[in-house]
Structures are given as C-alpha cells and as structure tokens.
C-alpha cells in the first residue's frame, strides 16, 4: 500500500512538472506570435523637397498599423542613380517623368503610381534680416545681384531646383555674376547656409526652406519666372511588403492628405 501511495505521489509531481513546462511553452509561443512579430518595415526613397511630407505621415501610420517606415532622401538625380543601381525600396517619390520610366521598365508597379503634389521655388533669408523685395522679376534680379553670396542646389548634383535656377540666371543675363558668388549645395537644405553665415540668400523649393530653423521664407519667385516641380509616388515591383507599401501610399493620397501637403509648403495636385 505504501509503495502504491509513493508511486501516485511521484506520478503527480511528474504530471505537474510537465504541465508547468507545457504552460511555459504556451506562454513563450504566445509571446513569439504577438502582432509586433509580424510587423513590416518599409523603405521610402523620396526627393528632398517631398521629405517633410513623407515624414508627416509616418507617426500615425506606424501607430495605427504597427509597421515601421524608414525614410531616405536625396536629389532627384541622386535618387535615380540609386534606383538604377539596384537599391531596394518599397515606395519611391520622385518626378513623374522618372516614375513613368520606372513603371515601363518594371521597377515600380504601374497601377500604384499616383501624382502627389507640386511645389514652387522660393527665397529665404536668415531670421531677423531685412526682407528683400522679390515681387517682380526685376526686383528678384536686383535682390540676387545685391546678395553677398547665394546658396542653391548644385545643378551637377541633379537637383531640379538647381538645374532650373542655373538656366534662369542665364536668361536674366546674370549667370556669370551669380556663378562668382554661388554657394553650391550637393543636397539637402540650401537655407542651412544662411544659418552658418556662408550665404545671405537661399533659393530652393519652398518645402525645403520652411523646415530650416533660423530662416525666414521671403516668398515664392514671381509667377512669370516660377517653376513648379511635381512629385509622384509608386510601389516598388520587387517590394517584399507590397500591401504595406500601398497602404502608406494611400495615406499620401487619401482624405486629409491635401491639408498635410499644404502645411509643408506644397500644393496638392
């Protein structure tokens, strides 16, 4: 009788031990399969002028979906080199012409392509400076000539604003004068050169002047010489997270998107 009692006790202990192990495994398995374990991380390549718009949509998207968004930017020319070179991406925001080419060559999903916004060029000065007159073409021209140093994107870097401005200065007959005092920026915000004192005038897309602390936007270029750059986005054909990428694209074209776009100095399409 004593042996049977001991055997039952031993069996009971063993059973409880197995139960604890199985319970632990169940708990571990449950943790392993939480929603975070299935979250996607998508990579968005964007032209610098549209970067602030992309960033504005990220927090709510991440909070509501649990997915993550990595944002990388560059000039339109630099982005094209990266995409042509085979860099992986889930969403790309670039000029419509470049995106159309990628749709034709199979780098983006044609049905995902959407025009997102357009933006004009503007003039910035260091905060606290006297605001120059730029309402007319002649005023703009004189303001550029009066400046000690003018910062803008290096046309050789492939930035659309720099390419346009180089041609504009030539058309206005001041190309050589501006070239002599140009502070050429390879990418990013030309207005940052105002803060460092390297320039006293910066000309770039308005959406790239507004984010720079310590800088005041004087205003857009006169309409007669204004240049609007359009931006479009698309989902990468090789994306491993196409559904998530398309969901993020939908945020940039859906309800309320126009308000976000305008708040960043751009115009809705």
């Amino acid at each position: 009788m004593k042996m049977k009692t001991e055997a039952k006790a031993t069996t009971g202990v063993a059973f409880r031990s197995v139960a604890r192990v199985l319970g632990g495994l169940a708990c571990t398995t449950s943790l392993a399969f939480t929603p975070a374990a299935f979250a996607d991380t998508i990579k968005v390549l964007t032209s610098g002028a549209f970067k602030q718009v992309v960033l504005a949509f990220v927090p709510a998207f991440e909070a509501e979906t649990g997915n993550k968004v990595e944002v990388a930017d560059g000039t339109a020319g630099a982005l094209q080199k990266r995409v042509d070179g085979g860099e992986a991406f889930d969403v790309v925001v670039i000029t419509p012409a470049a995106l159309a080419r990628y749709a034709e060559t199979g780098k983006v999903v044609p049905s995902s392509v959407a025009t997102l916004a357009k933006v004009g060029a503007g003039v910035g000065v260091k905060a606290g400076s006297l605001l120059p007159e730029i309402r007319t073409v002649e005023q703009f021209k004189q303001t550029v000539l009066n400046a000690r140093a003018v910062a803008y994107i290096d046309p050789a870097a492939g930035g659309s604003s720099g390419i346009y401005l180089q041609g504009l200065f030539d058309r206005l007959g001041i190309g050589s004068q501006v070239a002599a005092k140009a502070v050429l920026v390879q990418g990013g915000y030309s207005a940052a050169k105002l803060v460092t004192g390297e320039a006293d005038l910066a000309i770039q897309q308005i959406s790239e002047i507004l984010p720079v602390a310590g800088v005041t936007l004087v205003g857009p270029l006169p309409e007669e010489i204004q240049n609007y750059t359009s931006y479009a986005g698309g989902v990468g054909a090789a994306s491993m997270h196409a559904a998530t990428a398309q969901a993020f694209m939908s945020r940039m074209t859906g309800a309320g998107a126009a308000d976000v776009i305008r708040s960043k100095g751009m115009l809705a399409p």
Side-chain angles (χ1 to χ4, degrees):
M1 178 67 72
K2 182 178 180 181
M3 292 180 61
K4 288 182 179 181
T5 300
E6 291 177 348
K8 288 181 179 180
T10 301
T11 301
V13 171
F15 179 81
R16 287 193 294 273
S17 297
V18 171
R20 283 196 296 270
V21 171
L22 291 176
L25 288 174
C27 182
T28 302
T29 302
S30 176
L31 289 173
F33 287 93
T34 57
F38 293 97
D40 294 333
T41 297
I42 61 171
K43 181 178 180 180
V44 179
L45 292 179
T46 177
S47 294
F50 201 78
K51 179 182 179 180
Q52 294 302 317
V53 177
V54 172
L55 291 176
F57 286 103
V58 171
F61 180 78
E62 290 185 338
E64 293 171 17
T65 68
N67 298 308
K68 298 297 180 182
V69 182
E70 295 179 353
V71 181
D73 69 289
T75 65
L79 284 187
Q80 289 184 66
K81 289 181 180 179
R82 290 164 66 175
V83 173
D84 292 342
E87 182 171 337
F89 65 90
D90 297 287
V91 174
V92 62
V93 178
I94 201 167
T95 59
L99 205 56
R101 179 167 65 85
Y102 291 144
E104 292 175 359
T105 57
K107 287 189 177 293
V108 301
V109 179
S111 61
S112 72
V113 175
T115 301
L116 301 173
K118 68 177 183 178
V119 63
V123 176
V125 295
K126 187 174 183 178
S129 301
L130 183 65
L131 301 186
E133 293 288 349
I134 60 168
R135 288 175 297 174
T136 68
V137 175
E138 189 56 39
Q139 286 176 337
F140 169 78
K141 177 180 175 180
Q142 197 58 50
T143 290
V144 173
L145 289 173
N146 291 342
R148 171 182 55 84
V150 183
Y152 56 97
I153 293 293
D154 187 349
S160 55
S161 64
I163 294 171
Y164 173 73
L165 288 173
Q166 185 178 56
L168 174 63
F169 295 145
D170 287 339
R171 291 197 302 276
L172 294 177
I174 58 174
S176 59
Q177 294 99 311
V178 177
K181 56 184 176 182
V183 178
L184 300 178
V185 181
Q186 299 305 305
Y189 300 141
S190 299
K193 299 300 182 181
L194 301 173
V195 181
T196 61
E198 296 171 74
D200 51 357
L201 201 70
I203 310 173
Q204 198 172 2
Q205 276 101 338
I206 292 173
S207 60
E208 294 181 275
I209 295 175
L210 290 177
V212 184
V215 170
T216 297
L217 173 68
V218 180
L221 268 59
E223 196 61 34
E224 301 95 313
I225 57 172
Q226 181 59 274
N227 178 63
Y228 292 100
T229 303
S230 294
Y231 293 96
V235 174
S239 172
M240 299 296 291
H241 309 295
T244 302
Q246 184 59 63
F248 187 73
M249 273 289 301
S250 296
R251 294 296 180 100
M252 297 192 290
T253 58
D259 291 337
V260 175
I261 288 169
R262 282 192 292 268
S263 73
K264 300 303 177 182
M266 308 190 86
L267 301 172

